[in-house]
């Protein structure tokens, strides 16, 4: 994600995961050329996009006619000059003028759509059983991709490889892989039909082709052996009670000489300042909570041992820290809030925690959010990356 703040009272960001260019603040230039930097970034952002491109103005509180005319003309130029492009403008129901202004563009081109923001913004969201979690999953990928984009190359991923993304979930990582590395073949497998349906919808909307979405059980896949140069499985081994079964399958479908790439967490190493003590206490408790349900959120550093036990060699391992400084701190805070809702919500209740225990449990999450949003604060979420080569 690229983010730019101007000396004036507005800023813009581009999120390649969502193919979305966002404006926020107060846009009141006296001359169109005051927006040259922003318009140039908009042109750069859309250059590698096909299908649907989102322009999000729901966080604009003011926009004068100079700014509106400049952006309206640019949006019209984009769709008139690119037959493969559709532009969707997202306005705010709270700022009524935004919808009235941009709605005129719909009448000028059938490839421009305008809608007011609501919780159904993402297409196909209702397909998922846990639909409310989709924005959080996408935010997580957005924050981790800025690190993994280069890490993947260090672990051997190259263009034109045959790649499998196992436990692909809602498919946003596969879309980013397809765009960045352009594999000759990309299979994305998951056990959730609704997740796959959502993934297909997003890929179609974004004009991304070449991803073969497959329904299947990661521990007993119908994919043939020795097919893929690079096999990924992210944040999934920690969820299953028998990760060795999935690792055996990742090993089986990988070509001799190919690599298996996994990412996992160690939640007890989440950190934040200020209020570090309560944060540490809560995430240590998260590890105990997951263990109660036969899952291992501490799997990350154990990755090397598991890859070796599976028969992989030339193990490469590293870790990175997702922080509140990776773009908008509110994105980080939103992820932590979702963790609190799940861990200190249904999971803690099902474990039999008392109200006092849950109240204490929640405190660390809220302090983690406080650290993320504090102007001098620092909040981190560590992730471990490991890969191994299948012997020839």
């Amino acid at each position: 994600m690229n983010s730019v703040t101007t000396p004036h009272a507005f800023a813009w960001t581009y999120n390649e995961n969502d193919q979305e260019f966002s404006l926020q603040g107060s846009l009141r230039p006296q001359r169109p050329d005051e927006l040259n930097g922003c318009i140039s970034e908009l042109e750069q952002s859309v250059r590698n996009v096909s299908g649907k491109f989102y322009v999000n103005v729901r966080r604009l509180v003011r926009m004068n006619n100079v700014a509106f005319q400049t952006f309206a003309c640019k949006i019209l130029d984009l769709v008139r000059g690119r037959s493969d492009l559709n532009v969707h403008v997202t306005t705010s129901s709270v700022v009524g003028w935004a919808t009235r202004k941009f709605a005129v563009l719909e009448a000028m081109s059938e490839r421009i759509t305008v809608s007011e923001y609501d919780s159904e913004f993402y297409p196909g969201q209702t397909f998922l059983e846990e639909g409310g979690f989709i924005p959080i999953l996408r935010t997580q990928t957005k924050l981790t991709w800025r690190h993994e984009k280069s890490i993947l190359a260090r672990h051997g991923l190259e263009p034109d490889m045959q790649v499998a993304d196992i436990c692909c979930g809602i498919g946003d990582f596969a879309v980013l892989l397809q765009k960045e590395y352009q594999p000759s073949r990309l299979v994305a497998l998951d056990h959730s039909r609704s997740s796959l349906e959502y993934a297909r919808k997003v890929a179609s909307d974004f004009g991304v082709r070449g991803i073969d979405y497959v329904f299947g059980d990661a521990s007993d896949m119908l994919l043939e052996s020795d097919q893929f140069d690079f096999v990924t499985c992210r944040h999934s081994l920690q969820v299953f009670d028998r990760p060795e079964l999935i690792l055996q399958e990742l090993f089986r479908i990988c070509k001799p000489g190919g690599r298996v790439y996994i990412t996992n967490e160690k939640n007890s190493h989440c950190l934040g300042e200020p209020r570090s003590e309560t944060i540490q206490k809560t995430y240590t408790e998260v590890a105990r909570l997951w263990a109660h349900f036969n899952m291992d959120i501490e799997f990350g550093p154990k990755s090397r041992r598991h890859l070796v036990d599976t028969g992989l060699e030339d193990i490469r391992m590293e870790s990175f820290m997702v922080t509140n400084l990776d773009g908008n701190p509110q994105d980080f805070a939103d992820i932590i809030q979702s963790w609190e809702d799940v861990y200190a919500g249904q999971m803690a209740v099902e474990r039999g925690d008392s109200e006092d225990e849950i109240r204490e449990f929640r405190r660390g999450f809220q302090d983690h959010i406080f650290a993320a949003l504090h102007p001098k604060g620092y909040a981190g979420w560590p992730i471990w990356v490991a890969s191994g080569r299948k012997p020839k």
Side-chain angles (χ1 to χ4, degrees), residues 8-10 26-36 60 62-71:
H8 307 293
F10 74 99
S26 178
L27 255 175
R28 305 180 73 176
Q30 298 303 304
R31 304 182 311 278
D33 61 5
E34 293 178 35
L35 300 174
N36 283 352
L60 274 181
R62 294 183 182 83
M63 179 180 234
N64 65 12
N65 280 330
V66 173
F68 173 72
Q69 292 294 336
T70 302
F71 278 96

Side-chain angles (χ1 to χ4, degrees), residues 135-233:
I136 297 300
L137 295 175
R138 295 188 67 87
T139 301
Q140 289 189 174
T141 302
K142 179 172 70 176
L143 294 182
T144 57
W145 177 249
R146 61 181 296 147
H147 299 273
E148 289 188 82
K149 188 175 182 178
S150 57
I151 288 175
L152 284 160
R154 292 202 292 274
H155 286 253
L157 181 59
E158 299 175 358
D160 296 324
M161 282 184 164
Q162 296 199 43
V163 179
D165 182 29
I166 306 305
C167 303
C168 70
I170 59 173
D172 47 355
F173 181 73
V175 167
L176 292 167
L177 276 182
Q178 182 74 0
K179 289 182 178 179
E180 185 69 21
Y181 284 92
Q182 299 180 342
S184 61
R185 180 189 180 199
L186 176 53
V187 172
L189 179 144
D190 201 86
H191 68 280
S192 168
R193 293 186 188 279
S194 55
S195 293
L196 291 172
E197 193 166 354
Y198 175 84
R200 291 188 185 101
K201 175 70 173 171
V202 170
S204 174
D205 283 349
F206 287 177
V208 175
R209 297 180 176 81
I211 303 175
D212 184 10
Y213 292 104
V214 175
F215 173 77
D217 179 354
S219 64
D220 187 17
M221 293 185 275
L222 297 178
L223 300 173
E224 294 180 3
S225 302
D226 304 329
Q227 288 190 65
F228 298 98
D229 301 294
F230 202 84
V231 180
T232 67
C233 186

